[in-house]
């Protein structure tokens, strides 16, 4: 590993990277930039925080992934559905939402009621699994969690995830109806995102305390739905011999258990380039490209 060469690439190329951390065998061994002070948008990495909340609900026997999403959504929204839409959404399970395998959802919800917007979408083949990455799946899961927990999901995450992880700096957003968004709108520090990665790396344990079961972590980080990127779990991406937490503009936490490595960085790079990833893989993972 040549962490200094990775940082030199960042500085020489002027890449907008705010901070980076590397953990080896669960210990922080390398750090650069601001990793603990300033929060940054993590965009879709928010989905992985929500995935941990899903796991806690699963461990408590509150949710059945094979049941229809309609079984968990607010009755007032479900009762407004036409007969045909109700029949369509009866075939969409919670597991399908967690794996982004519903074809027909646009990328993000709109309007004053994001629940009604989602339930009005034209899902032509509801029983066919097709990978379709979008924010609506994650939002519906946040509504499901709120309903089954009987409390605000944001407050639940603060108490059940952030507090035991020692994450004190965070922000998150809500839908027009007031639900925790779940798909984006969260801010964390670099170190805060690393702690989510560490929790998953340690199979649901952080600092000796079990937060979520090993059973759920194994499911969430395994390939549940194939895609062109190599596979997707429960809001978590397959990456080489591990998995990754991904945000919109290269907010990343790579977790590679066989190598004993976690690599986290928050950046804001609005293009499709792979230069930062290439440098990380060359200098930190020692991969030849």
């Amino acid at each position: 590993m040549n962490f200094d060469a990775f940082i030199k690439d960042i500085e020489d190329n002027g890449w907008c990277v705010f901070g980076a951390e590397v953990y080896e065998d669960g210990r922080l061994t390398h750090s650069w930039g601001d990793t603990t002070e300033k929060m940054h948008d993590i965009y879709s990495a928010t989905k992985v925080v929500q995935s941990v909340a899903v796991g806690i609900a699963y461990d408590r026997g509150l949710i059945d992934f094979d049941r229809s999403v309609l079984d968990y959504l607010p009755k007032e929204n479900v009762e407004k559905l036409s007969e045909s839409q109700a029949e369509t959404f009866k075939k969409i399970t919670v597991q399908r939402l967690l794996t982004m395998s519903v074809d027909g959802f646009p990328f993000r919800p709109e309007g004053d009621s994001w629940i009604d917007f989602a339930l009005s979408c034209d899902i032509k083949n509801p029983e066919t699994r097709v990978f379709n990455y979008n924010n609506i799946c994650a939002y519906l899961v946040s509504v499901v969690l709120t309903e089954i927990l009987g409390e605000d999901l944001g407050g639940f995450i603060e108490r059940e995830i952030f507090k035991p992880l020692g994450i004190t700096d965070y922000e998150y957003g809500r839908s027009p109806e007031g639900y925790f968004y779940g798909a984006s709108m969260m801010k964390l520090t670099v170190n805060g995102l690393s702690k989510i990665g560490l929790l998953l790396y340690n199979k649901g344990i952080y600092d000796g305390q079990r937060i979520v079961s090993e059973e759920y972590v194994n499911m969430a980080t395994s390939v549940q739905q194939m895609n062109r990127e190599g596979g997707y779990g429960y809001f978590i991406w397959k990456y080489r011999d591990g998995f990754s937490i991904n945000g919109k503009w290269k907010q990343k936490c790579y977790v590679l258990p066989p190598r004993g490595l976690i690599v986290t960085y928050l950046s804001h790079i609005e293009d499709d380039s792979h230069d930062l990833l290439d440098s990380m893989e060359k200098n930190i993972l020692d991969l030849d490209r």
Side-chain angles (χ1 to χ4, degrees):
M1 180 189 301
N2 191 339
F3 185 75
D4 290 341
F6 175 56
I7 300 309
K8 187 175 188 301
D9 279 350
I10 292 173
E11 295 175 337
D12 288 353
N13 288 283
W15 295 329
C16 186
V17 180
F18 306 116
E21 292 185 336
V22 174
Y23 291 75
E24 297 179 82
D25 299 322
R27 296 182 304 104
L28 178 64
T29 57
H30 299 83
S31 178
W32 170 85
D34 177 9
T35 62
T36 60
E37 296 297 323
K38 190 172 181 180
M39 297 180 294
H40 302 279
D41 287 306
I42 63 170
Y43 296 99
S44 286
T46 306
K47 296 178 176 72
V48 180
V49 177
Q50 177 159 279
S51 182
V52 175
V54 170
I56 296 172
Y58 173 81
D59 295 339
R60 296 178 183 180
L62 299 176
I63 190 168
D64 182 344
F65 297 158
D66 293 325
R67 287 182 64 177
S68 167
V69 63
L70 294 187
D71 293 340
Y72 297 110
L73 293 178
K75 288 184 179 179
E76 59 267 28
N77 298 97
V78 174
E79 289 172 352
K80 290 189 286 185
L81 290 177
S82 67
E83 185 175 342
S84 63
Q85 281 296 88
E87 285 301 313
T88 292
F89 277 88
K90 281 179 184 177
K91 299 171 183 175
I92 297 174
T93 64
V94 174
Q95 203 266 358
R96 297 277 300 285
L97 299 178
L98 291 169
T99 55
M100 299 285 181
S101 57
V102 181
D103 191 21
F105 282 138
F107 183 71
R108 59 176 58 88
E110 300 174 6
D112 296 328
S113 172
W114 289 358
I115 302 173
D116 288 342
F117 177 87
L119 294 179
S120 71
C121 292
D122 185 14
I123 311 298
K124 296 188 182 300
N125 299 296
E127 294 180 282
T128 303
R129 297 183 67 103
V130 176
F131 186 72
N132 172 37
Y133 189 81
N134 64 85
N135 284 350
I136 290 178
C137 282
Y139 178 61
L140 288 177
V141 170
S142 77
V143 177
V144 166
L145 284 175
T146 302
E147 295 299 308
I148 65 176
L149 292 169
E151 65 172 290
D152 175 63
L153 180 55
F156 179 84
I157 287 171
E158 291 179 35
R159 183 183 72 247
E160 301 292 336
I161 301 174
F162 288 164
K163 185 175 180 180
L165 290 182
I167 296 175
T168 57
D169 297 313
Y170 53 83
E171 293 179 7
Y172 54 81
R174 299 181 180 276
S175 72
E177 305 102 315
Y179 289 96
F180 175 86
Y181 184 20
S184 188
M185 294 188 185
M186 180 175 280
K187 291 184 178 182
L188 290 176
T189 64
V190 174
N191 184 252
L193 186 58
S194 287
K195 288 180 175 182
I196 302 297
L198 279 164
L199 175 66
L200 297 174
Y201 173 85
N202 287 315
K203 301 291 187 180
I205 294 173
Y206 184 84
D207 197 22
Q209 178 181 351
R210 179 160 296 284
I211 296 171
V212 64
S213 69
E214 181 174 352
E215 177 192 3
Y216 178 78
V217 172
N218 286 338
M219 290 191 296
T221 59
S222 299
V223 174
Q224 302 285 347
Q225 173 66 40
M226 283 304 300
N227 57 20
R228 65 183 184 182
E229 290 82 9
Y232 195 73
Y234 293 161
F235 298 148
I236 297 171
W237 296 84
K238 175 67 177 173
Y239 173 74
R240 295 191 178 273
D241 52 359
F243 52 91
S244 67
I245 302 170
N246 296 357
K248 183 178 182 180
W249 302 126
K250 300 178 178 60
Q251 295 81 34
K252 300 285 187 178
C253 180
Y254 298 100
V255 183
L256 300 162
R259 300 168 186 252
L261 278 177
I262 299 172
V263 183
T264 307
Y265 51 79
L266 293 183
S267 59
H268 191 94
I269 302 174
E270 296 186 24
D271 60 38
D272 295 327
S273 68
H274 296 141
D275 296 342
L276 181 58
L277 173 60
D278 290 347
S279 177
M280 187 280 290
E281 291 185 333
K282 174 184 176 182
N283 294 302
I284 296 179
L285 303 187
D286 296 323
L287 299 177
D288 293 326
R289 297 187 64 84

